[in-house]
Amino acid sequence: MLSAGGMFGAYQAGVWKALSGRFHPEIVAGASVGALNAWAIAGGATPSELIERWRAPECASLATFRLLQPPWRGVFDARPLHAHIRGLWETYRPRVDIGVVATEIPRCRPRLFRGPEIGWLRLAASCAVLLCYPQIRIEGRVYSDGGLLGALPVWAAARMGATRIVAVNVLARAPSRVAGWAVRGFQALAPGSPPTPGEVEVCTISPSQPLGRLRDAVFWRREAVERAIEMGEEDATRGCPWELG
């Protein structure tokens, strides 16, 4: 289960590098940027493939300001992000069960998309960060970012049948106090996510040190990406006590 986290998602590529030789998941799920990493991993992406995608300088275009637009339509130009997502969706096809979480608004209800119903637009919906990108309308319903009600929706993997979950949470620490207050304030007003069953075992891997500031979570920088990948590999090597298989 891969969390939301913007550019901090590079950490998950490092985790995958550490775990891929020991671990063959039957289910892969994610929210927001975690949904994109999950799609690639479920489609058979090797660690080197996933890491090279994060290293690509084209990632810098994914958070490009656009002018003269109402803020509720998003401050960033969505076209580079959507092209990136469409390319990822066309490159990989799931080899294992895949789940993607988005948030239906205005009711603030989490929604789990699975398997064949996941088109590129549903991946885009999971990444539609509120006030950053336009919200996505699908079949008459409007969807926002999958991490809006919680960066790590472990309940989704449990709903898909997982009983042992390796959960990678890049937002265990908020990148800024203001961002943390804003998210907690929104979540206090929202209905919340479904509970995770008590019988599910969860091993959580999260950054051992701060990955950076808020700007590092939003804007691509090669140095920050490299650091996140390296930390993800190191933390995953020592971070899960289970015998993975």
Side-chain angles (χ1 to χ4, degrees):
M1 182 72 221
L2 305 177
S3 76
M7 290 299 167
F8 291 165
Y11 177 91
Q12 297 169 353
V15 171
W16 181 233
K17 181 179 179 181
L19 296 186
S20 61
R22 310 159 49 200
F23 174 51
H24 302 284
E26 297 175 356
I27 296 168
V28 185
S32 197
V33 71
L36 304 187
N37 285 333
W39 183 263
I41 291 170
T46 65
S48 60
E49 288 175 355
L50 190 57
I51 287 171
E52 286 310 308
R53 284 183 171 274
W54 275 102
R55 286 174 172 164
E58 291 78 7
C59 290
S61 68
L62 302 182
T64 303
F65 287 106
R66 60 178 186 171
L67 302 176
L68 304 177
Q69 292 289 337
W72 59 85
R73 293 185 181 179
V75 298
F76 296 133
D77 184 353
R79 290 172 295 181
L81 176 64
H82 289 177
H84 176 82
I85 292 172
R86 188 190 289 267
L88 186 74
W89 180 80
E90 292 173 349
T91 299
Y92 297 102
R93 282 295 178 269
R95 302 178 184 181
V96 297
D97 200 3
I98 171 76
V100 169
V101 177
T103 304
E104 185 182 340
I105 55 174
R107 292 188 289 175
C108 295
R109 185 177 69 175
R111 172 71 186 273
L112 172 64
F113 298 112
R114 296 183 62 176
E117 70 175 331
I118 303 174
W120 80 266
L121 198 58
R122 285 183 164 85
L123 286 175
S126 187
C127 298
V129 180
L130 193 64
L131 299 182
C132 290
Y133 297 102
Q135 308 303 276
I136 302 295
R137 184 178 294 274
I138 302 173
E139 297 176 352
R141 296 182 178 180
V142 179
Y143 293 96
S144 187
D145 183 77
L148 196 58
L149 302 180
L152 186 67
V154 175
W155 62 266
R159 181 175 292 181
M160 294 172 69
T163 56
R164 303 183 83 195
I165 300 170
V166 176
V168 185
N169 187 7
V170 303
L171 288 181
R173 296 182 178 92
S176 77
R177 290 183 180 180
V178 173
W181 293 337
V183 170
R184 287 191 293 272
F186 180 86
Q187 292 173 355
L189 298 174
S193 298
T196 300
E199 64 271 15
V200 174
E201 294 182 74
V202 181
C203 170
T204 301
I205 299 173
S206 57
S208 53
Q209 301 176 36
L211 288 173
R213 299 181 179 181
L214 180 60
R215 64 184 179 186
D216 295 313
V218 176
F219 300 104
W220 183 90
R221 288 194 308 112
R222 178 65 180 260
E223 298 83 357
V225 164
E226 294 288 357
R227 181 173 180 272
I229 292 169
E230 181 179 352
M231 193 186 305
E233 182 179 5
E234 292 175 355
D235 291 344
T237 299
R238 60 176 181 267
C240 192
W242 295 344
E243 288 295 326
L244 299 174

